[in-house]
């Protein structure tokens, strides 16, 4: 049998000793080695033991080794050493050191002969810490702690530190346990010296050849401990640095180098650095091991080491120690998932996951721990959204049933349009109409790229409500956009004899009175406006449908207040910021989503290019060409006024520069947020009419300004905008048939900025762009302000954890369908209530 020789060699060491015998010998040597290490660490002072001195112990042990187990040669050598140790008390320090070192080397050599040679693959380490971890009780002094204890009760956390923790939002022990590492240094990858690669974190197990400490010749405050190491594949130098004069005393350096006498085995963890003399470690962690196979004491070496977002005045090691101290309490973390579901989902227990996220044994455990914790975050979020959705649907809404006649309002409107609806528009309209005839309120989101024709669909939906005998409201996030929608509606509704009014902050008192009266008596059918629509005196007589444009910009409370006006109306929200599915599920998980995924035909795609700031003149030439052909151009800037700090060219300055020096032959308009509403309207109108041909603007043009003749957009400091926003901005051109251009001026030297902008040059697919934007900048940035209503996700990433999100959503659906009020899932119910309480202060979710 092939396996036979192997089995033999595992029972018998190379010397022909039985396993028992060699174990006996090994434990004898281990005791000796420990004594030698201890003596070296204490400066060769001939330590006093309980019964005898170090030297006496050595003499005794060395003269009486386990009989007959050692090769004769070694036995003789041990005898010599025993004699030498007899005169140890009278020897000089250097002689003592030599003797100890010699003994260590001899023992080490014997041991290596006895122990089966380590194969030259990556070595393995035994994690002493990991083995102990499961049994370690709380450190004494922390015995009375629970998950709910204030952090100030943890040993080692004084009032000052507790205050710092409070600054991070960490008040209780359980908060600290849920303060997840933001990264890990992977010291668990064990390497041979030869296989080390620069830039990686790694651990090696090697033998010390030489060690010496010295003070830097160039800097008297810097001391260096240099170790020369070796393993079967090669040699390596490792340096540890000590900053500060107190470390530069020869005595201190000597004591340090004594820790690593030649011949001992060390485990070294750190970042591998390449250099002219080969690989080395930069200031690594080093632990002396009794043998290459003994377990490590260190909690860091050879492990996946957590890295926390730190607070001032707290070192990484200290933070890790504190977390480790309370980690045993994680075991008492209540499980929120039913056991059977947990197993079906192949998730670890939450308590185990918490331990593993802070103290992972390996990448695999870490991954599965992370999956569990991410799952929990998503599960709560989805439970909340789905419950909310169920609540929304539990109120009754008006049934907006129309006769569907050929001469009905909607049919006549569609006939008035100079174009047929695209298939996508038609499909979405059908979905909406199917919702409106139900007595549960619609909660639907239309997602569609810029220019996909959402407004037309919204108008058709509003007309359905009117045709059914109800009123409609159309809300926009800005006055400019509200006015624009109003004007669009005015193109069609008067011909259909449907009354429409605009209500904004700029509406006069008298006009406002009239509008409010007409709303209440029902003669006004459709009201367009900003948040002024939801101010208190605004009362509809029969509000059937609310359309909210650019919904994520609209405060949640504002929308809710509108919904509270009377019956629960149907709600249609629209967004042109395409949101990746993960984000949509997290943000609008309580909404049904319709997608207009097709642009009207006849659009020529926008040609996008990126240029450097110094090539601005190219962009201006392009504008000149286009404007001479009767087209119009936008120049977009990030800020209004000069900010010296950011060195941004302000819209005002650029406007002056362009109108007085660059485009003397054209009229250049200026649009920014500081203008009054009527001023803005005036500027936009003169641009639309062609009275001014170049419009310098801040991002206020972003939403909804619709001038089909505009064929060029130059975006200055494009690197300061998000991708989704740039995509939205450039959607302002290319709305007509003419070929359009977008020029992104990149003033940043950051290669990442360039890489980001290149996505826009390459792609015109809003969803793809949003997906990449999400990946590059994270959801908070993609959606803009805190207003975004995004929940706090401590660990979950909307860019990377899409699959877990889907699982969590399915599970939430299953749970709620079986147990709508979570009566049988009290833990989840509790957590959910706590979460909503926490969120109720902030804008959140519809
Ligand atoms: P969005 O709000 O989705 O960005 P709009 O509703 O403002 O897009 O439509 C952009 C432009 O396309 C408008 O000028 C609109 O009249 C026009 N449009 C809408 N639907 C169609 C269609 N099916 N065919 C051709 N043009 C359309
Ligand atoms: Mg629009």
């Amino acid at each position: 049998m092939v396996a036979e020789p192997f089995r033999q060699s595992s029972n018998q060491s190379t010397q022909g000793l039985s396993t028992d015998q060699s174990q006996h010998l090994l434990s004898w040597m281990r005791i000796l080695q420990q004594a030698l290490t201890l003596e070296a660490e204490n400066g060769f002072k001939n330590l006093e033991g309980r019964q005898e001195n170090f030297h006496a112990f050595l003499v005794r042990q060395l003269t009486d080794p386990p009989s007959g187990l050692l090769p004769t040669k070694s036995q003789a050598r041990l005898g010599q050493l025993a004699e030498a140790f007899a005169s140890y008390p009278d020897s000089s320090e250097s002689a003592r050191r030599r003797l100890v070192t010699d003994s260590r080397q001899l023992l080490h050599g014997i041991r290596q002969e006895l122990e089966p040679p380590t194969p030259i693959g990556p070595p393995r380490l035994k994690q002493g810490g990991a083995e102990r971890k499961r049994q370690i009780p709380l450190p004494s002094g922390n015995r009375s702690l629970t998950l709910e204890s204030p952090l100030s009760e943890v040993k080692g956390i004084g009032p000052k530190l507790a205050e710092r923790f409070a600054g991070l939002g960490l008040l209780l022990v359980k908060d600290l346990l849920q303060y997840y590492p933001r990264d890990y240094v992977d010291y668990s990858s064990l390497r041979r010296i030869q296989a080390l690669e620069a830039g990686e974190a790694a651990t090696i197990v090697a033998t010390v050849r030489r060690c010496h400490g010295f003070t830097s010749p160039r800097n008297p405050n810097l001391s260096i401990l240099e170790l020369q190491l070796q393993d079967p594949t090669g040699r390596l130098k490792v340096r540890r640095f000590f900053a500060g004069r107190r470390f530069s005393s020869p005595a201190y350096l000597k004591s340090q180098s004594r820790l690593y006498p030649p011949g001992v085995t060390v485990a070294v963890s750190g970042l591998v650095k390449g250099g002219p003399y080969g690989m080395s470690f930069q200031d690594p962690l080093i632990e002396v091991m009794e043998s290459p196979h003994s377990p490590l004491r260190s909690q860091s070496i050879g492990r996946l080491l957590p890295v926390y977002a730190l607070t001032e005045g707290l070192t990484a090691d200290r933070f890790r120690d504190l977390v480790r101290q309370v980690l045993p309490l994680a075991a008492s973390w209540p499980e929120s998932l039913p056991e059977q579901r947990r197993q079906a989902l192949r998730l670890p227990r939450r308590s185990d996951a918490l331990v593993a996220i802070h103290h992972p044994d390996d990448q695999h455990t870490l991954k599965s721990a992370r999956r569990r914790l991410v799952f929990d975050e998503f599960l709560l979020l989805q439970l909340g959204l789905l419950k909310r959705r169920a609540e929304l649907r539990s109120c009754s809404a008006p049934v907006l049933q129309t006769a569907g006649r050929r001469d009905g309002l909607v049919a006549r409107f569609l006939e008035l349009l100079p174009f047929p609806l695209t298939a996508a528009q038609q499909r979405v309209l059908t979905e909406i109409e199917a919702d409106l005839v139900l007595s549960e309120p619609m909660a639907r989101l239309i997602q569609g790229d810029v220019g996909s024709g959402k407004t037309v669909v919204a108008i058709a939906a509003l007309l359905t409500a009117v045709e059914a005998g109800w009123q409609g409201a159309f809300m926009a996030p800005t006055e400019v956009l509200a006015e624009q929608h109003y004007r669009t509606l005015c193109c069609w509704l008067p011909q259909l004899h449907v009354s429409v009014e605009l209500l904004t902050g700029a509406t006069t008192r008298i006009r406002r009175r009239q509008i409010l009266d007409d709303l209440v008596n029902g003669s006004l059918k459709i009201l367009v406006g900003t948040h002024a629509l939801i101010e208190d005196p605004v009362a509809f007589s029969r509000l059937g449908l609310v359309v909210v444009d650019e919904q994520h910009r609209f405060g949640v409370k504002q929308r809710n207040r509108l919904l509270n006006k009377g019956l629960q109306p149907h709600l249609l929200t629209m967004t042109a910021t395409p949101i990746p599915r993960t984000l949509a599920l997290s943000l609008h998980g309580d909404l049904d989503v319709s997608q207009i995924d097709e642009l009207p035909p006849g659009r020529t795609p926008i040609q996008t290019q990126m240029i450097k700031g110094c090539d601005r003149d190219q962009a201006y030439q392009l504008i000149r060409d286009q404007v001479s052909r009767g087209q119009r151009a936008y120049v977009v800037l990030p800020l209004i006024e000069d900010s010296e700090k950011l060195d941004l060219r302000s819209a005002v300055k650029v406007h002056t520069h362009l109108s007085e020096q660059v485009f003397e032959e054209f009229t250049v308009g200026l649009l920014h947020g500081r203008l009054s509403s009527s001023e803005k309207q005036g500027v936009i109108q003169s641009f639309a009419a062609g009275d001014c041909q170049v419009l310098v603007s801040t991002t206020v043009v972003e939403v909804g300004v619709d001038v089909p003749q505009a064929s060029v957009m130059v975006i200055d400091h494009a690197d300061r905008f998000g991708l989704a926003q740039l995509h939205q901005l450039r959607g302002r051109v290319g709305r007509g048939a003419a070929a359009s251009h977008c020029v992104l001026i990149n003033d940043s030297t950051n290669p990442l900025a360039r890489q980001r902008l290149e996505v826009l040059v390459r792609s015109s697919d809003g969803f793809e762009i949003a997906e990449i934007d999400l990946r590059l900048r994270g959801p908070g940035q993609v959606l803009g302000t805190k207003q975004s209503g995004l929940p706090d996700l401590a660990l979950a990433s909307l860019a990377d954890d899409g699959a877990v999100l889907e699982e969590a959503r399915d599970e939430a659906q299953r749970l709620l369908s079986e147990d709508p009020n979570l009566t049988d899932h009290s833990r989840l119910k509790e957590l959910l209530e706590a979460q909503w309480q926490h969120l109720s202060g902030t804008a959140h979710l519809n």
Side-chain angles (χ1 to χ4, degrees):
M1 250 174 93
V2 186
E4 207 50 41
F6 291 98
R7 198 182 298 163
Q8 192 115 46
S9 75
S10 70
N11 279 337
Q12 299 268 303
S13 85
T14 37
Q15 267 67 40
L17 302 178
S18 74
T19 313
D20 271 2
Q21 282 175 312
S22 62
Q23 281 313 322
H24 181 48
L25 185 55
L26 281 174
S27 70
W28 173 77
M29 283 199 294
R30 195 171 304 137
I31 294 168
L32 273 183
Q33 284 181 310
Q34 276 169 354
L36 288 162
T37 306
L38 214 59
E39 173 70 5
E41 283 178 2
N42 283 281
F44 310 99
K45 303 227 160 62
N46 198 12
L47 280 171
E48 258 177 70
R50 232 175 272 154
Q51 283 152 25
E52 55 196 336
N53 279 0
F54 163 74
H55 87 281
F57 174 75
L58 263 273
V59 171
R60 192 162 55 79
Q61 294 290 331
L62 290 172
T63 40
D64 188 22
S67 57
L69 295 176
L70 283 166
T72 350
K73 201 181 81 201
S74 308
Q75 192 123 18
R77 185 82 186 92
L78 288 175
Q80 290 164 5
L81 287 176
E83 266 169 47
F85 270 108
S87 53
Y88 189 82
D90 308 320
S91 309
S92 69
E93 196 198 306
S94 65
R96 288 182 181 187
R97 175 189 323 207
R98 218 173 310 120
L99 185 55
V100 169
T101 305
D102 285 353
S103 313
R104 288 176 99 169
Q105 268 169 345
L106 177 71
L107 289 172
H108 196 75
I110 297 174
R111 214 166 149 159
Q112 273 186 336
E113 267 177 56
L114 284 176
E115 281 172 340
T118 342
I120 305 194
R124 289 213 201 146
L125 285 180
K126 282 189 202 127
Q127 295 298 346
E131 278 160 22
R132 262 178 295 150
K133 179 183 66 197
R134 300 229 155 63
Q135 298 128 38
I136 33 167
L138 284 170
S140 58
N142 279 338
R143 295 260 162 75
S144 60
L145 286 182
T146 70
L147 289 172
E148 305 292 332
S149 307
L151 280 176
S152 54
E153 285 176 17
V154 176
K155 221 177 139 209
I157 302 187
K160 242 196 185 150
L161 190 51
E163 210 168 288
R164 289 222 178 91
F165 276 132
L168 294 172
L170 309 178
L171 303 171
L172 306 179
V173 166
K174 65 176 181 186
D175 300 333
L176 190 58
L177 289 175
Q178 293 189 100
Y179 191 72
Y180 305 128
R182 77 180 152 74
D183 202 0
Y184 298 84
V185 183
D186 190 353
Y187 290 149
S188 69
S189 57
L190 284 173
R191 290 287 142 75
R192 288 301 186 186
I193 287 176
Q194 210 173 35
L196 289 175
E197 278 171 35
E200 67 171 1
T203 296
I204 58 166
V205 174
T207 312
V208 175
R209 297 180 59 234
R210 202 132 44 96
C211 174
H212 72 129
F214 56 95
T215 300
S216 162
R218 265 169 290 167
N219 179 356
N221 283 324
L222 186 67
S223 307
I224 300 165
L225 187 71
E226 187 178 272
L227 284 100
Q228 298 187 27
L229 304 176
Q230 151 178 335
D231 80 357
T233 68
R235 292 177 176 183
L236 180 84
K237 253 187 213 165
V238 162
R239 287 178 157 199
R240 290 198 62 186
F241 298 95
F242 302 90
R245 253 189 212 284
R246 68 204 153 105
F247 298 118
S248 58
S249 82
Y252 180 78
L253 286 171
K254 218 179 240 175
S255 74
Q256 282 298 309
S257 51
R258 250 185 243 130
L259 298 177
Y260 310 103
V264 300
T265 303
V266 287
V268 178
S269 281
L271 189 69
V272 181
K273 222 179 56 170
Y277 308 109
M279 298 296 162
S280 69
F281 280 93
Q282 172 95 52
D283 224 3
L285 303 161
I286 306 176
E287 180 177 317
V288 175
M289 302 167 75
E290 279 166 28
S291 86
H293 306 284
S294 52
L296 286 169
R297 288 184 302 270
S298 165
Q299 297 277 354
S300 307
I301 291 176
R303 297 199 64 98
L304 273 164
L305 201 61
V307 178
Y308 297 89
L310 287 181
T311 173
E312 201 190 324
L314 199 59
T315 66
D317 284 338
R318 183 87 195 289
F319 199 99
R320 277 193 283 267
D321 275 348
L322 289 173
V323 173
R324 242 175 249 142
Q325 262 194 58
V326 296
L327 206 50
L329 285 166
S332 58
W333 203 281
E335 179 56 54
S336 46
L337 285 178
E339 186 57 19
Q340 178 224 348
R341 292 307 305 152
R342 184 180 73 74
Q343 286 181 10
L345 290 157
R346 292 169 297 105
L347 291 166
R349 254 177 270 281
R350 186 170 170 91
S351 51
D352 292 339
L354 281 168
V355 172
I357 201 88
H358 292 289
H359 198 69
D361 285 339
D362 51 44
Q363 288 284 3
H364 175 75
T365 333
L366 174 60
K367 212 171 143 196
S368 102
R370 198 179 166 281
R371 182 167 157 258
R372 168 66 206 253
L373 299 176
V374 166
F375 182 90
D376 284 2
E377 286 181 8
F378 281 142
L379 180 68
L380 270 194
L381 177 64
Q382 292 302 324
L383 279 174
L385 285 163
L386 290 170
K387 272 197 75 143
R388 160 111 196 136
R389 176 192 163 106
E391 273 157 26
L392 268 177
R393 270 151 228 243
S394 67
C395 327
S396 53
V399 174
L400 304 182
Q401 185 84 56
T402 61
R405 294 213 319 253
R406 282 281 236 31
D407 59 348
L409 270 180
V410 179
R412 271 158 55 213
F413 166 66
L414 294 180
E415 243 157 60
L416 277 178
L417 288 176
F419 44 75
L421 293 185
T422 62
Q425 283 172 315
Q426 187 59 61
R427 189 189 69 236
V428 170
L429 185 55
T430 311
E431 286 168 357
I432 293 169
E433 283 172 340
D435 282 353
L436 294 180
V437 298
L438 301 177
S439 63
E440 33 175 78
M442 170 172 77
R444 185 170 287 278
L445 172 73
I446 307 183
Q447 282 197 41
D449 213 338
V450 216
S452 59
K454 295 181 293 292
T455 319
V456 171
V457 174
I459 297 174
L462 286 167
L463 288 174
T464 308
V466 175
E467 193 175 341
W470 293 75
Q471 293 167 304
F474 197 160
M475 291 173 80
T478 65
E479 292 195 353
V480 172
L481 194 56
E483 279 157 27
Q484 176 130 10
H485 282 319
Y486 176 65
R487 270 184 297 122
T488 311
L489 285 165
C490 286
C491 296
W492 318 109
L493 300 200
Q495 302 179 60
L496 299 166
H497 307 289
V498 174
S499 50
V500 55
E501 285 294 349
L502 175 69
L503 187 70
T504 67
T507 311
T508 62
R509 284 258 296 281
I510 302 170
R511 188 92 206 92
R512 192 181 167 84
R513 260 237 90 78
Q514 186 61 50
I515 291 173
L516 294 185
D517 284 351
D518 290 349
L519 262 191
V520 178
N521 67 34
S523 65
L524 178 54
K525 297 299 181 195
I526 294 178
L527 183 61
V528 184
T530 56
H531 59 265
L533 275 197
I534 51 166
E535 275 160 23
D536 267 342
V538 183
F540 291 79
S541 104
R542 282 161 71 79
L543 181 58
L545 171 67
V546 178
V547 176
V548 183
D549 196 6
E550 292 305 331
Q551 81 99 31
H552 71 261
R553 283 152 211 269
F554 218 94
V556 172
K557 282 186 197 143
Q558 296 165 322
R559 268 180 289 148
N560 278 345
R561 270 167 72 183
L562 185 63
L563 293 179
N564 291 336
K565 287 185 178 291
L567 254 181
Q568 185 80 18
H570 297 280
L571 177 68
L572 181 64
T573 64
M574 306 198 288
T575 178
T577 309
I579 306 179
R581 181 172 163 81
T582 50
L583 205 51
L585 275 182
S586 309
L587 208 51
H588 317 302
D590 51 348
L591 304 179
D592 294 317
V593 177
S594 293
Q595 214 133 286
I596 306 188
D597 46 10
E598 177 186 0
L599 290 182
R603 301 259 167 88
T604 20
I606 305 165
Q607 284 177 26
T608 301
Q609 50 176 312
M610 176 181 14
I611 62 171
K612 289 198 197 113
C614 53
D615 297 330
R616 246 183 211 93
D617 284 344
Q618 284 178 19
Y620 295 155
Q621 191 53 45
L622 180 68
I623 291 180
R624 206 168 279 124
D625 290 349
Q626 292 287 312
V627 174
S628 342
R629 283 190 218 160
Q631 304 292 331
R632 261 149 256 168
Y634 296 101
V635 176
V636 182
L637 297 135
L639 282 188
I640 312 170
E641 272 158 20
D642 251 0
S643 152
E644 278 184 4
K645 243 204 212 142
L646 292 172
D647 185 33
L648 296 176
R649 293 148 47 90
S650 78
V652 179
K653 252 203 189 149
V654 170
H655 174 252
T656 316
H657 175 66
L658 291 185
S659 57
E660 287 173 8
Q661 289 171 38
V662 183
F663 300 123
E664 282 171 286
E665 68 272 42
F666 307 136
T667 309
V668 182
L670 175 62
L671 181 69
H672 58 71
R674 300 269 173 90
L675 297 178
S676 75
S677 174
S678 61
E679 283 170 325
K680 277 184 214 155
Q681 211 45 56
V683 176
I684 292 172
Q685 256 152 25
S686 97
F687 184 66
D691 298 337
C692 88
Q693 301 89 35
V694 179
L695 184 62
V696 174
S697 171
T698 60
T699 51
V700 289
V701 296
E702 179 186 353
V703 238
V705 174
D706 192 0
V707 178
Q709 293 86 353
S711 66
V712 191
M713 175 173 285
V714 174
I715 304 177
D716 213 342
H717 294 287
D719 47 289
R720 309 236 176 220
F721 297 92
L723 288 187
Q725 195 182 11
L726 287 169
H727 178 64
Q728 178 91 3
L729 273 168
R730 91 177 150 177
R732 298 303 107 209
V733 295
R735 299 173 84 79
S740 310
H741 305 267
C742 173
V743 183
L744 305 170
I745 299 183
N746 174 20
D747 281 304
S748 163
T749 50
N750 183 345
L752 245 142
R754 197 189 158 77
Q755 192 192 336
R756 232 159 48 80
L757 293 178
E758 258 157 15
V759 174
L760 284 172
V761 174
R762 179 169 55 73
S763 173
S764 57
D765 177 346
F767 280 91
E768 187 193 351
I769 291 166
E771 195 89 49
I772 296 175
D773 206 19
L774 175 65
R775 204 162 277 284
L776 293 177
R777 292 194 312 153
Q781 291 286 318
V782 170
L783 292 175
T785 59
K786 287 187 185 155
Q787 260 276 72
S788 67
L790 258 189
D792 299 334
L793 295 170
L795 201 58
S797 146
L798 292 174
D800 298 326
D801 296 320
V804 187
L805 171 57
E806 301 281 353
E807 284 179 304
R809 182 156 173 99
D810 288 349
E811 189 60 23
Q813 246 149 6
R814 165 201 286 267
L815 275 165
L816 287 177
S817 73
E818 286 167 6
D819 182 11
N821 293 315
L822 296 177
T823 356
D824 299 334
H825 298 86
S826 53
R827 176 70 188 161
L828 281 175
K829 190 175 178 153
E830 235 169 75
L831 289 171
L832 199 57
E833 272 158 17
Q835 169 172 296
W836 285 96
Q837 232 159 44
H838 172 68
L839 289 171
S840 59
T842 57
H844 186 69
L845 309 169
N846 210 29

